[in-house]
């Protein structure tokens, strides 16, 4: 069975639809992540989510804390890496960047 380390639940006040997102999928809205990927030849705005391991799986996700919640996602490509942190208020921070 596929069990997630953490999910972000969001809902629409207009239609009542509810979605569960991986933390990596939630990070796709962050300009810094989009630019990091773009600088390494990956256009995440046109790539299907299932082709983005960090968004489709939790393999690059680590729960840093449960009280309060903080989850990190690390992306590595071309010898460079960046780690994003998402807290329980859904604030996104870059916590580590190496080139």
């Amino acid at each position: 069975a596929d069990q997630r380390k953490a999910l972000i639940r969001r809902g629409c006040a207009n239609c009542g639809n509810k979605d569960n997102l991986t933390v990596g999928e939630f990070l796709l809205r962050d300009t810094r992540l989009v630019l990091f990927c773009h600088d390494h030849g990956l256009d995440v705005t046109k790539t299907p989510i299932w082709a983005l391991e960090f968004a489709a799986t939790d393999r690059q996700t680590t729960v840093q804390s449960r009280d309060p919640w903080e989850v990190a996602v690390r992306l590595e490509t071309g010898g460079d890496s960046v780690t994003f942190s998402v807290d329980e208020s859904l604030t996104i921070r870059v916590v580590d960047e190496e080139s």
Side-chain angles (χ1 to χ4, degrees):
D2 186 20
Q3 296 184 350
R4 301 287 180 201
K5 294 176 183 173
L7 287 172
I8 294 174
R9 186 175 175 107
R10 70 175 179 185
C12 175
N14 293 321
C15 71
N17 184 50
K18 292 184 173 41
D19 291 324
N20 292 311
L21 306 174
T22 66
V23 179
E25 189 176 0
F26 176 74
L27 286 170
L28 287 171
R29 67 183 222 147
D30 189 89
T31 305
R32 295 164 295 187
L33 178 134
V34 174
L35 289 173
F36 175 82
C37 291
H38 180 269
D39 289 348
H40 291 85
L42 176 61
D43 184 348
V44 296
T45 66
K46 295 182 179 170
T47 304
I49 289 174
W50 58 85
L52 301 170
E53 184 178 35
F54 72 89
T57 73
D58 277 354
R59 292 185 191 120
Q60 293 156 281
T61 302
T62 305
V63 175
Q64 301 291 319
S65 171
R66 294 183 187 273
D67 188 22
W69 273 96
E70 185 173 353
V71 180
V73 175
R74 181 174 175 86
L75 281 76
E76 294 183 50
T77 185
D80 297 332
S81 67
V82 62
T83 302
F84 293 89
S85 161
V86 179
D87 66 21
E88 64 187 20
S89 69
L90 301 182
T91 300
I92 301 169
R93 296 182 303 118
V94 174
V95 293
D96 183 34
E97 191 167 5
E98 296 176 14
S99 11

